[in-house]
Amino acid sequence: MRKWVFVVVFFLWSLYFQLTNCKNVTYDGKALIINGERRILFSGSIHYPRSAPDMWESLIEKAKMGGLDVVDTYVFWNLHEPSPGIYDFEGKNDLVKFIRLVQKAGLYVHLRIGPYICGEWNFGGFPVWLKFVPGISFRTDNEPFKLAMAKFTKKIVQMMKEEQLFQSQGGPIILSQIENEYETEDKEFGAAGFAYMNWAAKMAVQMDTGVPWVMCKQDDAPDPMINTCNGFYCDYFSPNKPYKPTFWTEAWTAWFTTFGGPIHQRPVEDLAFGVARFIQKGGSLVNYYMFHGGTNFGRTAGGPFITTSYDYDAPIDEYGLIRQPKFGHLKRLHDAVKLCEKALLTGESHNYSLGTYQKAKVFSSSSGDCAAFLSNYHWTSTARVTFSGRHYTLPPWSISILPDCKNVIYNTAQVEVQTNQMSFLPTNVKSFSWETYNEDISSIEDESFMSYDGLLEQLNVTRDTSDYLWYTTSVDVDSNESCLRGGKLPILTATSKGDAMHVFINGKLAGSSFGTHDNSKFTFMERIYLQAGVNKVSLLSMAGGLPNNGPHFEEREMGVLGPVAIHGLDKGKLDLSRQKWSYKVGLRGETMNLGSPSSVQAVDWRPVPSTQENTQPLTWYKAYFDAPEGDEPLALDMSSMQKGQVWINGQNVGRYWTINANGNCTDCSYSGTYRPKKCQFGCGYPTQQWYHVPRSWLMPSKNLIVVFEEVGGNPLKISLVKRSITSICTEASEYRPVVKNKHTHQNHGELNEQNVLKINLHCAAGQFISAIKFASFGTPRGACGSLEQGTCHSSKSLSVLQKVCVGRRRCLATVPTSIFGEDPCPNLRKKLSAEVVCQPIAT
Ligand code: GAL
C-alpha cells in the first residue's frame, strides 16, 4: 500500500515538474510572450565559430552584463556538414555546448538556422559540396536544394529537441529563424521564389519546435512566421499583420571590413538613438548585429576579401574586451528601457508635437504606469522643449527617456560612460627565429593532376579545398624574336574573374593583380621577359573567400577564364587561352600540411639570416615560441609582410593582407542618418595589421608558428603583441540639472542656476588613477588617445582633475562647472574631456 502511495505521489510530482518546466512561447501584436509574460528583449549576435570555445563563457557573461536577455547566433552549415552526411559538432563546432553556456548564464537563445546565413561567411554558410549536387539551384523552388535544406534544418531541430533546448522543453531557445533576407532574391526569382519562400516557412513550422519562427526582411512571410526588420534603423517598420510583434533582428552596430577598405565605426549615440526610436515606435525585440563580431579564422571569411577581423565595432571587441563607451552607453539604454517595460507593454500610446523636429511619445496604462520618450530629430540644434508643464533640454539627434513621464534618466546623445583606449603592446616574445622553405615551382607541371585545352573555372577544379590554383602553360619563342635582341618587351595580359593572381614567367614573379570586394574581375597586364625556346607561364590564381550573397551566387565564376595573350611579339598577338594548360590545386606546403606540428618536418627548412630583409615570393616560414606572460588577448603584427596565411600550432589564424585602406576618412559626426561611408577610419594604413591569436591555442612552450607569404616581406619584423587598455577617458557635457523638491524628492522641472558635469572614470580592479594625461574644460577635440585643446580651454582643467581623481580607483563625481573658475567662453556649450593613466596598486 505504502509503495502505491509513493508511486502515485512520484507520478503527480513529475507531472507537475514537467508542466511547470514546459514553457510556452507565443506572441501577439505587442511582444513575444514567454511563459505567459510579454517581454521587451535585448539581444546580441555572438557567432560561436568567430571566437575560440574558451572565450564563449566570458563573452556570454559580458553580454549579460551589458543588459542583454538573448544571445543570437546563426548555425554554420558548412562547419557542421563538411561532406554530405558527415557531421561535426565537436570542439569549436559544439553548438550544443554554446547554447548550454547561454542557458547557464540565464539568457535566452535566438537560433538562426538559415541554413543560408549570408553573414560574410564563406559561401553564405553553404557547404561547397552543395554546389555539386546534380541539378541543384540555390534558394529557389528546386527539389535537390529543398531536400538538402530540409535535411539539415531537421538535423539541427532534432538535435536541439534531443538536448531539450527549446523553451517549450524548458530550454533557452525562444525563437528560430529560417532563411535570411530572402526578399531581395525572391523578387528576381518570381513565382519560383515565392513558392520556395512559402515552402521554407511551411517546412520550418512543421518541425514543431514549440517556439515561433521568424523570417527576416521578408515582408510577405506567411503566418505564423514573424517577418522582421534588419538595418541601421527600423522605426519605419511594421510587421505584415497587426497580431505580429515588431522585431529588429539585425541592428547593425557598424559594418564589416574588406581588405583595401577602411574601418567602419558607428557612434554609439546614433545606435542608441536608433534603438530608442524603434522602442518608442512599439518595437519589442532588438538584436545587435554584432554584439561580439570576432574573427574569421582560417578560410571562413566570405568574399571576396572580407577581412579576417570581423570586429564590427561591436560593444565587445574582436578580442573579447569590452569596448567603451559603446558597451556602457547601451547598457544604460537597456536599463532605462526596462524601467519603462510595463508602460510600453500594457499602456496606450500617444504622440505629441513639441516643435518642428521635436516629439513626445507617451505610454500610459490604467494602472498608473507612464513612460515618455522625448525626441529631437534636428541634426545640429539643441532644443528646449516643454512637456507636461516641465522644461527639458534635448541635444541634437537624440531621445530622452522618462520612465515616470517626469524624470530624464537617459539621453541617447549624452554619453556618461568612460572611453577605453586599447592599444597593442609588446610581449616578452620579442622576435622569432625563423626558418624558411620555398615552394618549388619548377615542378608544378609534373605535379599537376590534370591538363585541358583551355581555361577552367577555378571552383570547379579546387572545390575550395585550397584558395590556390596553378594554371601553367608553355610558350615557344624563336631565338630571332626581336624582344630577345633588344626590342620592346612583349606584354602579357590575363583576364581573371577573381579574386587575385600572381604571374610567374620561367619561375620568376612577373607581377600580381587583384580584384576588389565589389568587383572581383581584373586584367593582369605587364611587360614580361621571355627566353629563347620553351617558356613556362604559371598563373597562381587565388580565391579570397567565396561569395556569400546575391542571386545564384553558386553560379558565379572565378579564376583565370581568359583571354590570356602575349602582345607585341613579331607575329603580333599570341592567344594562349585555348592551348593546353595544366592544373594543380593548392601549394606544396598545403599538401604536406606544413602548418601542422605533426607534419612541419616534412621538408628541409633553412635558417633565415638575421640580416635578411625582403624575401622571395611563395615562401614558408616556421618558428617556435613560448607563450607570453599574462592573460591579455594576443595578436600577430603582420605589417612587415604582404599577403598570405598564418598557422599557430596547426590552427589557421586566417588570411592576412597588408593592403592599405582606401577611403574617405573625414569627420564622423554622431548626428544625422548613419551610413557606413559616413564614419570611416584608418585610411592610408593597412586595413588589417593585427591578427587575433586566441590564448587557448597556445601551450606554455614550444608553440609552432608557420607563415606562408605569397609575395615577399620581412618576417624578422613579425611580432606577437598583447591587446591592452592603455588609457581611459571621460567626456562630459555641461548641463543644467532639474531642481528636486527637498520633501517629496520629485523633480520640479525648474532649472538650477548652476551648470554641472558628471565625471565618470574607473580603473580595472587592482589599479588606481595615477596621473592625468590630458584635461580640458572648454571645446576639446579628438578621440581618446589623441585629445587636444580647442579654441576654448580653462587653464584650471588639469589641476581640478588632479584634485578630484588622482589616487582613486573610481572617480565618479558631479561637479559644478564653476569649479573651473571663470567661464572660458560664456556663450558656448562646453564639455570636459580627460585622459587618465591607471597604474597597478603596489603590493
Ligand atoms: C545582412 C545579413 C547578415 C550580414 C549583414 C552585413 O543583410 O543578414 O548576415 O551579412 O547584412 O554584415
Side-chain angles (χ1 to χ4, degrees):
M1 176 65 188
R2 278 182 58 193
K3 201 171 160 195
W4 270 109
V5 172
F6 179 76
V7 168
V8 169
V9 167
F10 180 76
F11 174 76
L12 289 174
W13 178 81
S14 57
L15 194 69
Y16 169 80
F17 184 79
Q18 273 181 30
L19 284 175
T20 50
N21 275 281
C22 282
K23 304 198 176 151
N24 182 349
V25 188
T26 55
Y27 61 79
D28 66 7
K30 289 225 164 181
L32 206 61
I33 305 172
I34 306 174
N35 219 13
E37 208 186 326
R38 285 202 194 112
R39 297 287 307 273
I40 300 258
L41 297 167
F42 288 104
S43 168
S45 291
I46 301 178
H47 295 159
Y48 53 96
R50 286 181 154 136
S51 60
D54 280 61
M55 295 167 65
W56 291 347
E57 192 158 9
S58 121
L59 294 174
I60 293 163
E61 273 307 322
K62 284 176 182 155
K64 187 176 180 182
M65 269 168 57
L68 297 193
D69 311 285
V70 184
V71 169
D72 159 310
T73 182
Y74 282 134
V75 177
F76 295 77
W77 186 359
N78 57 3
L79 297 182
H80 297 306
E81 198 176 353
S83 344
I86 309 291
Y87 296 101
D88 181 356
F89 290 94
E90 300 292 313
K92 64 185 174 39
N93 298 336
D94 195 342
L95 173 61
V96 167
K97 178 173 171 194
F98 181 79
I99 296 175
R100 286 222 182 284
L101 287 172
V102 180
Q103 182 177 31
K104 188 173 148 207
L107 300 182
Y108 296 122
V109 171
H110 176 196
L111 194 66
R112 303 175 80 190
I113 299 179
Y116 167 69
I117 60 167
C118 189
E120 290 69 70
W121 195 254
N122 202 43
F123 231 32
F126 287 153
V128 175
W129 56 257
L130 196 65
K131 173 182 157 78
F132 299 97
V133 170
I136 203 151
S137 191
F138 286 4
R139 302 178 74 202
T140 188
D141 194 13
N142 166 276
E143 286 311 317
F145 178 76
K146 290 193 299 185
L147 201 70
M149 171 168 165
K151 188 170 165 221
F152 182 71
T153 308
K154 197 165 176 192
K155 170 89 191 167
I156 296 297
V157 168
Q158 209 51 46
M159 176 181 253
M160 298 301 121
K161 281 187 181 172
E162 276 160 22
E163 300 283 340
Q164 311 272 308
L165 290 176
F166 286 105
Q167 173 77 187
S168 47
Q169 303 170 294
I173 304 172
I174 50 164
L175 215 53
S176 287
Q177 177 177 301
I178 197 77
E179 250 296 339
N180 189 77
E181 295 191 339
Y182 186 61
E183 197 167 73
T184 33
E185 245 79 338
D186 119 9
K187 300 226 161 70
E188 302 247 350
F189 294 168
F194 186 70
Y196 160 71
M197 186 275 292
N198 277 288
W199 166 85
K202 204 166 157 199
M203 179 269 288
V205 172
Q206 277 172 353
M207 301 263 159
D208 197 20
T209 60
V211 305
W213 287 88
V214 304
M215 275 185 150
C216 65
K217 269 201 177 172
Q218 190 69 50
D219 279 350
D220 54 358
D223 287 1
M225 285 284 151
I226 308 170
N227 65 306
T228 66
C229 181
N230 293 346
F232 289 110
Y233 305 93
C234 274
D235 46 314
Y236 63 87
F237 170 82
S238 298
N240 60 17
K241 297 280 166 48
Y243 45 82
K244 294 183 186 177
T246 307
F247 287 176
W248 187 359
T249 34
E250 289 182 25
W252 296 324
T253 50
W255 203 237
F256 60 84
T257 311
T258 60
F259 281 118
I263 309 289
H264 302 286
Q265 295 182 356
R266 183 173 185 189
V268 68
E269 296 92 327
D270 174 66
L271 178 58
F273 181 56
V275 172
R277 273 162 65 169
F278 181 72
I279 296 288
Q280 69 164 6
K281 168 76 199 303
S284 57
L285 179 143
V286 177
N287 175 65
Y288 296 99
Y289 187 99
M290 302 291 298
F291 202 75
H292 168 254
T295 312
N296 294 314
F297 295 115
R299 302 194 303 116
T300 57
F305 302 137
I306 302 286
T307 50
T308 292
S309 167
Y310 198 65
D311 179 81
Y312 227 92
D313 191 29
I316 306 178
D317 78 7
E318 174 176 6
Y319 296 84
L321 300 176
I322 283 175
R323 171 170 277 131
Q324 294 289 31
K326 208 162 200 172
F327 181 93
H329 192 53
L330 293 177
K331 176 185 167 41
R332 291 192 57 235
L333 169 66
H334 306 151
D335 294 346
V337 171
K338 285 296 166 76
L339 290 176
C340 308
E341 190 170 14
K342 216 162 154 219
L344 287 166
L345 293 175
T346 59
E348 294 275 312
S349 68
H350 299 281
N351 284 309
Y352 303 95
S353 170
L354 303 176
T356 320
Y357 294 93
Q358 295 78 32
K359 277 197 302 210
K361 178 95 181 224
V362 179
F363 296 82
S364 54
S365 72
S366 51
S367 54
D369 297 295
C370 188
F373 291 70
L374 310 185
S375 50
N376 177 12
Y377 282 77
H378 199 282
W379 289 27
T380 50
S381 305
T382 299
R384 298 194 194 284
V385 296
T386 308
F387 167 70
S388 277
R390 296 177 178 85
H391 304 295
Y392 298 89
T393 304
L394 301 175
W397 199 250
S398 78
I399 293 186
S400 284
I401 300 180
L402 294 66
D404 56 357
C405 284
K406 288 181 192 132
N407 293 295
V408 175
I409 62 153
Y410 182 84
N411 177 277
T412 56
Q414 274 167 353
V415 180
E416 292 171 11
V417 180
Q418 76 180 21
T419 303
N420 289 352
Q421 168 72 28
M422 309 280 194
S423 306
F424 290 98
L425 299 178
T427 60
N428 57 331
V429 181
K430 293 276 176 270
S431 60
F432 297 100
S433 302
W434 294 104
E435 291 182 289
T436 178
Y437 161 76
N438 251 77
E439 276 281 312
D440 174 14
I441 72 169
S442 60
S443 52
I444 293 169
E445 248 181 326
D446 308 332
E447 290 168 8
S448 296
F449 84 110
M450 64 175 283
S451 55
Y452 182 78
D453 289 338
L455 295 161
L456 293 173
E457 197 280 329
Q458 178 157 343
L459 194 53
N460 281 323
V461 183
T462 64
R463 301 211 165 192
D464 202 34
T465 51
S466 164
D467 278 1
Y468 303 98
L469 177 63
W470 282 105
Y471 292 73
T472 308
T473 193
S474 316
V475 178
D476 276 334
V477 173
D478 193 282
S479 55
N480 291 323
E481 190 66 45
S482 45
C483 67
L484 303 179
R485 300 166 164 268
K488 265 198 169 171
L489 294 180
I491 295 174
L492 176 82
T493 60
T495 300
S496 167
K497 285 207 167 174
D499 300 322
M501 174 172 37
H502 301 307
V503 174
F504 295 84
I505 306 291
N506 297 321
K508 287 226 164 61
L509 183 64
S512 309
S513 287
F514 313 97
T516 62
H517 172 68
D518 297 323
N519 182 12
S520 56
K521 290 185 197 158
F522 61 90
T523 298
F524 172 90
M525 191 185 293
E526 291 282 343
R527 293 199 179 274
I528 52 167
Y529 289 95
L530 294 172
Q531 63 195 22
V534 179
N535 289 268
K536 286 265 170 281
V537 176
S538 313
L539 312 178
L540 182 60
S541 176
M542 260 163 304
L546 302 186
N548 60 293
N549 59 16
H552 288 310
F553 63 80
E554 77 277 21
E555 287 173 10
R556 232 172 284 166
E557 296 184 313
M558 58 168 45
V560 189
L561 285 158
V564 178
I566 299 177
H567 309 258
L569 293 170
D570 292 346
K571 283 188 193 145
K573 174 174 138 187
L574 176 65
D575 192 341
L576 310 180
S577 314
R578 290 205 170 73
Q579 66 179 49
K580 186 168 155 203
W581 290 84
S582 46
Y583 292 87
K584 177 173 159 19
V585 175
L587 307 162
R588 284 187 109 199
E590 281 182 301
T591 319
M592 290 185 285
N593 202 6
L594 284 191
S596 155
S598 56
S599 37
V600 68
Q601 298 304 354
V603 297
D604 284 334
W605 296 86
R606 286 181 296 105
V608 176
S610 59
T611 49
Q612 183 166 337
E613 287 239 323
N614 280 329
T615 53
Q616 293 185 51
L618 308 189
T619 310
W620 293 81
Y621 299 97
K622 86 159 169 39
Y624 290 94
F625 64 98
D626 292 345
E629 291 157 1
D631 57 5
E632 294 100 329
L634 300 173
L636 284 167
D637 180 348
M638 299 300 291
S639 53
S640 65
M641 305 301 281
Q642 290 199 51
K643 189 171 180 300
Q645 289 178 43
V646 192
W647 292 259
I648 300 277
N649 292 332
Q651 307 233 46
N652 192 333
V653 171
R655 301 183 181 102
Y656 70 84
W657 194 7
T658 40
I659 183 169
N660 278 353
N662 188 5
N664 182 6
C665 292
T666 44
D667 223 19
C668 162
S669 157
Y670 83 84
S671 69
T673 304
Y674 177 80
R675 292 286 168 262
K677 277 204 171 141
K678 206 175 131 185
C679 293
Q680 307 188 355
F681 293 85
C683 299
Y685 295 95
T687 300
Q688 189 175 352
Q689 175 174 355
W690 294 283
Y691 294 79
H692 182 201
V693 176
R695 280 259 177 196
S696 59
W697 289 10
L698 298 186
M699 305 172 295
S701 60
K702 259 208 132 221
N703 296 290
L704 173 68
I705 171 169
V706 173
V707 174
F708 172 67
E709 169 59 48
E710 295 168 11
V711 191
N714 185 355
L716 301 170
K717 290 199 174 148
I718 297 176
S719 63
L720 190 62
V721 292
K722 57 184 181 186
R723 184 148 169 96
S724 318
I725 298 174
T726 41
S727 36
I728 60 173
C729 298
T730 188
E731 188 182 288
S733 299
E734 62 174 340
Y735 68 98
R736 198 160 289 187
V738 176
V739 184
K740 279 194 178 167
N741 181 312
K742 278 188 205 128
H743 307 294
T744 60
H745 293 283
Q746 291 290 310
N747 277 353
H748 268 187
E750 293 150 22
L751 294 181
N752 215 343
E753 282 301 293
Q754 273 260 26
N755 276 4
V756 298
L757 44 84
K758 276 189 194 159
I759 302 174
N760 184 354
L761 287 161
H762 52 265
C763 300
Q767 298 194 338
F768 73 104
I769 299 173
S770 61
I772 311 293
K773 255 197 200 166
F774 175 92
S776 177
F777 174 65
T779 53
R781 293 184 303 244
C784 189
S786 58
L787 290 167
E788 49 185 55
Q789 286 177 19
T791 45
C792 167
H793 168 75
S794 157
S795 56
K796 286 198 170 173
S797 310
L798 193 67
S799 58
V800 169
L801 259 282
Q802 278 167 340
K803 208 153 104 204
V804 180
C805 296
V806 170
R808 298 186 175 184
R809 181 186 160 209
R810 285 167 187 275
C811 181
L812 303 175
T814 303
V815 294
T817 52
S818 59
I819 195 171
F820 295 100
E822 203 183 315
D823 191 334
C825 40
N827 294 321
L828 277 184
R829 188 150 183 260
K830 290 165 286 297
K831 64 178 181 181
L832 167 76
S833 290
E835 179 176 341
V836 308
V837 184
C838 293
Q839 230 178 39
I841 299 167
T843 45

